[in-house]
Amino acid sequence: MNNLSHKTSAPDTDATKVRLYGPAAFEGMRLAGQLAAQALDMLVDFVKPGVPTGRLEQLILEFARDHKAFPATLNYRGFRHALCTSVNHVVCHGHPGPKPLREGDIVNIDVTLILNGWHGDTSRMYPVGAISRKAERLLEVTYESLVRGVAAVRPGRTTGHIGEAIQRYAESERCSVVRDFCGHGLGDVFHDRPNILHYGRGGEGVELQPGMIFTIEPMINLGRADTKVLDDGWTAVTRDKSLSAQFEHTVGVTETGVEVFTYSPKGYHCPPYGLPR
C-alpha cells in the first residue's frame, strides 16, 4: 500500500533516519512477504466478471484468519477494508464493495498482511476476462517498470536511481509516472522512511545501505500523470480518466544487491499470465 500522504514530498536525503534491519528481520519479512504473495495467488481463480470486489475482501479476511495473520489496512488511519481494489482509472486505495467486476476491466489488488509482527506488502494487476490490447500493454509496461526499479537497488546507489530507472522506461513507452504517491520503508511498522519516488535522477535521495527494507510500487498511466482524490478521502483516480496500473514488491537491500520478499510462489506475479479462468 502506498505512502498515505496524498502528495509526496521531496526525496529523503538523510540515510541516518532510515532503519537498518538484521538477519532475523529479513527472515520475518520473507515469511510475511510470501504469505501476502500467496494471498494474491489465491485470488486468481476469483477475479472474473460478475464477482464483487467485496467478495475478494471476504476471501482475504478468511485467508488471513486461517494463517494467523492480520490485514494491515483494516482500520488503518480510518481505512475500513482488508485490501485495496483499484479498477481501471482508479490509481490506488480503491474500496472493495458490492459492485461486480466487468469483462475487460483491469484491477489492482493491494494486500498487506502482518505475520508475527512483520508486514508483507504487495500488489498485482489482474485482467478481468478478455482485456483490450492497450490495457494489456499498460500491464506489461508497468510490470517492466517495477522490474527495472528493483534491478536498480544495490548498496551505494540512491533511491533516485530507482526512480530514474522507472521513469526512463515508462516514459520511453509513452506512458506517464504518477508522482502523487510513492513507495515507503516498512518492516515491523507499516509506513516508514525512506520514501521511494518512482521518478527522479540517480544520485538524488537516500544512499542505499544493506539492511534497508522498503516497497517499490510504480503507478503508471496511459494518459497524463495527474491524479485527484475523491470525496471519501482515499480513492485516487486519474484526472483524465485514462487507465492506470500498479505492481508492488517489498524488497530488502543486501550486501551485494537486493532480495525480493514478495515473488509469487506460483509465478503469477507478472504478465502475461496465461492462467486458467
Side-chain angles (χ1 to χ4, degrees):
M1 188 180 194
N2 309 294
N3 189 308
L4 298 180
S5 60
H6 292 321
K7 294 289 180 180
T8 54
S9 58
D12 290 324
T13 57
D14 189 352
T16 66
K17 295 182 178 180
V18 178
R19 295 177 66 183
L20 301 180
Y21 291 94
F26 268 58
E27 179 58 24
M29 291 298 291
R30 287 185 195 108
L31 295 174
Q34 279 298 284
L35 188 65
Q38 290 170 29
L40 292 184
D41 286 355
M42 177 270 298
L43 292 180
V44 164
D45 291 335
F46 298 94
V47 179
K48 58 185 64 176
V51 175
T53 53
R55 170 61 175 152
L56 306 179
E57 179 179 29
Q58 180 184 6
L59 289 165
I60 288 296
L61 285 166
E62 294 170 357
F63 181 92
R65 179 199 64 208
D66 292 345
H67 291 83
K68 296 181 171 54
F70 186 81
T73 58
L74 188 61
N75 299 318
Y76 181 79
R77 297 185 181 177
F79 191 83
R80 296 182 295 175
H81 298 282
L83 77 170
C84 301
T85 52
S86 302
V87 181
N88 294 335
H89 72 290
V90 178
V91 176
C92 59
H93 303 159
H95 292 51
K99 186 175 180 180
L101 295 167
R102 298 181 300 175
E103 181 86 16
D105 284 344
I106 57 173
V107 56
N108 176 270
I109 301 178
D110 190 340
V111 170
T112 306
L113 294 180
I114 306 172
L115 180 67
N116 299 324
W118 300 103
H119 291 70
D121 189 358
T122 185
S123 81
R124 198 181 301 169
M125 295 301 299
Y126 295 74
V128 183
I131 62 174
S132 68
R133 176 54 193 151
K134 69 176 183 178
E136 184 178 39
R137 176 177 169 272
L138 176 62
L139 269 55
E140 293 167 354
V141 169
T142 306
Y143 182 73
E144 181 62 22
S145 296
L146 172 61
V147 168
R148 294 185 183 220
V150 170
V153 177
R154 68 183 66 164
R157 289 192 169 183
T158 68
T159 54
H161 284 100
I162 300 170
E164 180 180 50
I166 291 167
Q167 181 182 8
R168 180 173 295 179
Y169 174 72
E171 292 181 352
S172 76
E173 293 293 326
R174 303 181 303 282
C175 295
S176 62
V177 180
V178 171
R179 286 161 166 73
D180 294 339
F181 302 92
C182 61
H184 53 90
L186 82 168
D188 55 2
V189 296
F190 194 0
H191 291 92
D192 204 351
R193 291 175 180 267
N195 287 342
I196 305 297
L197 307 187
H198 303 117
Y199 62 95
R201 291 185 297 180
E204 295 179 339
V206 172
E207 181 177 345
L208 302 177
Q209 300 178 43
M212 289 182 175
I213 297 175
F214 49 81
T215 68
I216 304 174
E217 44 185 308
M219 290 139 280
I220 307 298
N221 298 346
L222 276 182
R224 297 176 62 86
D226 306 280
T227 71
K228 64 178 180 180
V229 176
L230 300 185
D231 290 342
D232 62 18
W234 286 96
T235 306
V237 300
T238 55
R239 284 190 175 273
D240 61 7
K241 301 289 183 70
S242 63
L243 290 176
S244 185
Q246 178 189 22
F247 285 88
E248 174 184 13
H249 277 315
T250 296
V251 305
V253 184
T254 68
E255 294 290 341
T256 57
V258 62
E259 179 176 351
V260 178
F261 299 124
T262 47
Y263 279 134
S264 160
K266 295 185 177 181
Y268 291 173
H269 47 267
C270 62
Y273 298 93
L275 301 176
R277 283 287 185 253

